[in-house]
Amino acid sequence: MNYQLREYPLFSACGLNCGLCPRYHTDGDSRCPGCAGEGFSDVHPPCGVLSCAQRKGVDYCFECDEYPCPKYDGVDGSDSFITHLNQFKDLDKAKTIGMPAYKAELDEKVRILETLLRDYNDGRRKSFFCLAVNLIELKDLRALMAQLPDPLDSIKVKAKIAADLFKELAEKRGITLTLRK
């Protein structure tokens, strides 16, 4: 199925933060360009939610009079590459603060994730950092980033310190940083 290209593929029609997904930050053929981004249909199975949104002429499901519809039944009880845990929360936040403000926050989270993947990933923490940045509030991420060691330190040491700081913060906030299978 071919979808109409979306102006902002980093936030999906259904409320997932595509810009924080491991597949978005992958090089090669399996890289996902985000929700209806360039080449989306080549690497992603058909999506009933996206098809519905485009058929109804809305960019985000919260813009639809039928939201939340039965397409969302059971979605909060499962995970995919990117967690569904904040899906409704993020859609509600985008609706409340407006898409320009939500985009600005998500763009900042994407920049934070890119810094973590570039400077603090020892090759084993991409999914962990993607999940953590997705689930942790932006103000907490800013504070945590200020505590990270100098990027010139050993990658192994930096990765462990960063992961430990994220785990500690997540525990304080009651956030689980493991995907449910």
Side-chain angles (χ1 to χ4, degrees), residues 128-165:
F128 174 82
F129 286 142
C130 289
L131 183 62
V133 172
N134 189 52
L135 294 179
I136 294 173
E137 293 292 328
L138 184 55
K139 65 179 174 45
D140 287 336
L141 289 172
R142 290 174 183 143
L144 187 142
M145 294 300 288
Q147 298 175 47
L148 291 179
D150 187 304
L152 299 177
D153 289 346
S154 156
I155 189 68
K156 205 171 186 180
V157 170
K158 292 186 308 187
K160 179 168 179 12
I161 291 170
D164 288 347
L165 286 169

Side-chain angles (χ1 to χ4, degrees), residues 15 18 85 90 101 105 156 174 180-181:
C18 299
L85 290 173
D90 290 337
E105 286 190 14
K156 205 171 186 180
R180 297 172 288 173
K181 301 292 180 199

Side-chain angles (χ1 to χ4, degrees), residues 105-121:
E105 286 190 14
L106 181 53
D107 288 344
E108 186 175 350
K109 279 188 158 194
V110 170
R111 286 190 300 275
I112 288 170
L113 177 58
E114 288 169 346
T115 297
L116 290 166
L117 295 177
R118 182 187 65 239
D119 297 337
Y120 298 92
N121 181 19

Side-chain angles (χ1 to χ4, degrees), residues 7-108:
E7 179 185 326
Y8 190 72
L10 298 185
F11 188 53
S12 73
C14 69
L16 296 178
N17 290 310
C18 299
L20 303 177
C21 178
R23 283 197 53 210
Y24 183 80
H25 294 278
T26 296
D27 294 326
D29 294 340
S30 67
R31 183 182 186 279
C32 181
C35 182
E38 186 77 40
F40 177 81
S41 298
D42 298 335
V43 296
H44 202 283
C47 176
V49 173
L50 179 58
S51 297
C52 179
Q54 291 199 340
R55 192 172 48 254
K56 291 182 176 186
V58 298
D59 287 324
Y60 306 98
C61 290
F62 69 77
E63 298 170 321
C64 179
D65 293 337
E66 297 175 40
Y67 170 78
C69 71
K71 290 185 183 333
Y72 285 92
D73 290 349
V75 73
D76 59 352
S78 66
D79 282 318
S80 61
F81 278 108
I82 190 164
T83 184
H84 289 270
L85 290 173
N86 284 358
Q87 189 173 8
F88 293 117
K89 178 181 166 192
D90 290 337
L91 280 169
D92 291 342
K93 183 175 188 178
K95 182 177 181 177
T96 300
I97 68 173
M99 279 309 299
Y102 190 82
K103 287 178 188 179
E105 286 190 14
L106 181 53
D107 288 344
E108 186 175 350

